[in-house]
Amino acid sequence: MHATDTLAEADRLMTVCNSCRYCEGLCAVFPAMEMRRGFLDGDLNYLANLCHNCGACYDDCQFSPPHEFNVNVPKVLAEVRNDSYASYAWPPAAAGLFRRNGLAIAIIAALSVTLFILGFVAAADPVGLWTTGQEPGAFYRLMPHNAMAALFGAAFLYAIAALCLSVRRFWGDIGEPQATRPDARAIWQAVKDAGRLRYLDGGGMGCGDDAQPKDGRRHAHHLVFYGFLLCFASTSVATLYHYLLGWEAPYAWYDLPVVLGTLGGLGLVGGTIGLYRAKRVRDPVLVDTPRLGMDVAFLAMLFLTGLSGLALLVLRDTGAMGLVLALHLGVVFALFITMPYGKFVHGIYRFAALVRYAHERAAPHP
């Protein structure tokens, strides 16, 4: 017995696919499937998070609809994958947040924090709202650096803790004992596979008319992923500047934090637009439509993070700097607190699944 009807349907499909094995060269899902003769809930969640939803197996499958076997692996695994985020959420009581993580919730959270910051400034130093960013420390007239660091540091640390505890529950359920530590080779292989989105191309040529995905998802994913890393690097370098060198923001356009943040912001804006476009042109038969709101909310928060950061760079020498900075801080804070309960977790779970796959592929089999 399985915990949900969706997992039961995934079991049925994997049983059919394990008998056929025509798609074994497409991606990691099918070789991992072939190592199993039965499928527990953890196995199915593992396979679902290995799936990159390229759709190649649907195009290649002789049993896909309208065949009576009704084999639609991409859609069913997408449903299992989205359910798994809530199943392993920490704390467990927060699982329901995945069902309510829509665009409206994300926007309300961002605006609420923005209004809080504006109210804080209006009460303490109304003139700070209209200051410009021409001199060092100007950003901190809006909110003292220590208060900003404490507020956002707490939100970030909570998000990291919740993500780590969630993936720990996932790791313990996908067939790997919690005490198991894959060797460095397995982790490095997973890093390479994730870094270049190895399995998003559907395995190359198949028997479908469109063997290669044409929606630009690979390039858009790369822009978002590396854009996010550049923004994180920008914040990290700025922190070192502040605490080690005593240099206060804002920094000149040619300083490393600004260069990294600008490139990262451009990547986030361009990548999220590309991913949203890809979702709009996607064949609905491959999509978990009821959970699209969670996807769109995550893309919107990343888009607004990049856009507001770029706007702050352009407008920081004007009287609008305070308002734009408050909006940027509100969006970033909302992104942090929603990260453990939105689509952000898919990258973490997928990487864990890739580590598991690399580890079991390298292990000796009887």
Side-chain angles (χ1 to χ4, degrees):
M1 295 293 292
H2 293 286
T4 66
D5 291 341
T6 305
L7 286 167
E9 174 63 5
D11 188 341
R12 182 186 74 85
L13 296 191
M14 291 296 96
T15 301
V16 173
C17 293
N18 219 356
S19 300
C20 174
R21 301 194 176 189
Y22 181 79
C23 295
E24 64 182 1
L26 293 181
C27 69
V29 172
F30 298 99
M33 171 200 72
E34 293 172 10
M35 297 180 193
R36 292 156 173 80
R37 296 296 175 263
F39 303 97
L40 301 175
D41 287 357
D43 296 319
L44 296 168
N45 284 323
Y46 161 53
L47 296 175
N49 281 280
L50 268 183
C51 174
H52 286 55
N53 201 242
C54 70
C57 60
Y58 181 85
D59 293 332
D60 288 1
C61 182
Q62 59 187 320
F63 303 124
S64 59
H67 192 279
E68 60 181 337
F69 286 2
N70 192 32
V71 173
N72 187 340
V73 171
K75 182 174 183 178
V76 173
L77 290 190
E79 293 171 350
V80 172
R81 185 166 55 250
N82 287 331
D83 286 344
S84 74
Y85 305 152
S87 298
Y88 300 112
W90 184 91
L97 294 175
F98 283 95
R99 291 190 291 272
R100 298 187 292 273
N101 196 328
L103 180 59
I105 297 297
I107 297 298
I108 290 171
L111 291 179
S112 297
V113 177
T114 300
L115 292 174
F116 169 79
I117 294 174
L118 292 176
F120 178 88
V121 177
D125 180 17
V127 179
L129 280 177
W130 313 109
T131 189
T132 66
Q134 294 178 344
E135 50 187 58
F139 283 178
Y140 307 128
R141 289 196 64 181
L142 192 72
M143 176 178 285
H145 180 270
N146 290 340
M148 191 183 298
L151 179 64
F152 286 84
F156 181 71
L157 289 176
Y158 173 79
I160 294 299
L163 287 169
C164 288
L165 291 170
S166 297
V167 80
R168 181 175 180 269
R169 298 181 68 199
F170 173 65
W171 182 260
D173 197 37
I174 63 174
E176 280 284 345
Q178 291 185 11
T180 299
R181 296 183 180 179
D183 58 33
R185 288 177 298 177
I187 296 174
W188 176 238
Q189 183 62 52
V191 168
K192 291 189 293 183
D193 291 344
R196 58 193 176 97
L197 294 175
R198 175 182 175 186
Y199 297 111
L200 194 58
D201 63 359
M205 295 302 294
C207 63
D209 293 332
D210 272 330
Q212 297 289 340
K214 299 296 193 298
D215 56 12
R217 290 173 69 217
R218 175 189 288 273
H219 300 302
H221 266 102
H222 280 309
L223 284 174
V224 170
F225 177 67
Y226 292 109
F228 184 85
L229 290 183
L230 286 170
C231 288
F232 183 77
S234 171
T235 302
S236 300
V237 173
T239 300
L240 294 176
Y241 274 18
H242 185 92
Y243 287 108
L244 294 184
L245 302 177
W247 298 348
E248 292 187 324
Y251 304 108
W253 63 268
Y254 51 80
D255 276 332
L256 188 56
V258 178
V259 173
L260 293 174
T262 301
L263 294 175
L266 291 172
L268 287 180
V269 170
T272 51
I273 291 174
L275 285 178
Y276 180 72
R277 176 191 172 278
K279 290 183 182 301
R280 293 292 301 270
V281 302
R282 204 96 206 279
D283 187 343
V285 76
L286 304 175
V287 178
D288 181 13
T289 305
R291 256 74 70 94
L292 273 179
M294 179 173 65
D295 292 8
V296 172
F298 178 54
L299 291 179
M301 295 309 296
L302 289 176
F303 173 80
L304 291 174
T305 298
L307 185 65
S308 61
L310 293 172
L312 179 60
L313 176 64
V314 173
L315 299 174
R316 66 181 185 174
D317 292 335
T318 72
M321 188 273 286
L323 296 176
V324 177
L325 177 58
L327 178 61
H328 180 62
L329 293 176
V331 171
V332 172
F333 187 85
L335 176 65
F336 282 173
I337 62 175
T338 58
M339 270 170 45
Y341 311 111
K343 191 59 184 288
F344 182 86
V345 301
H346 90 284
I348 310 296
Y349 282 29
R350 180 160 292 157
F351 179 74
L354 286 170
V355 173
R356 173 73 178 100
Y357 176 66
H359 186 217
E360 70 177 3
R361 281 292 295 266
H365 296 283

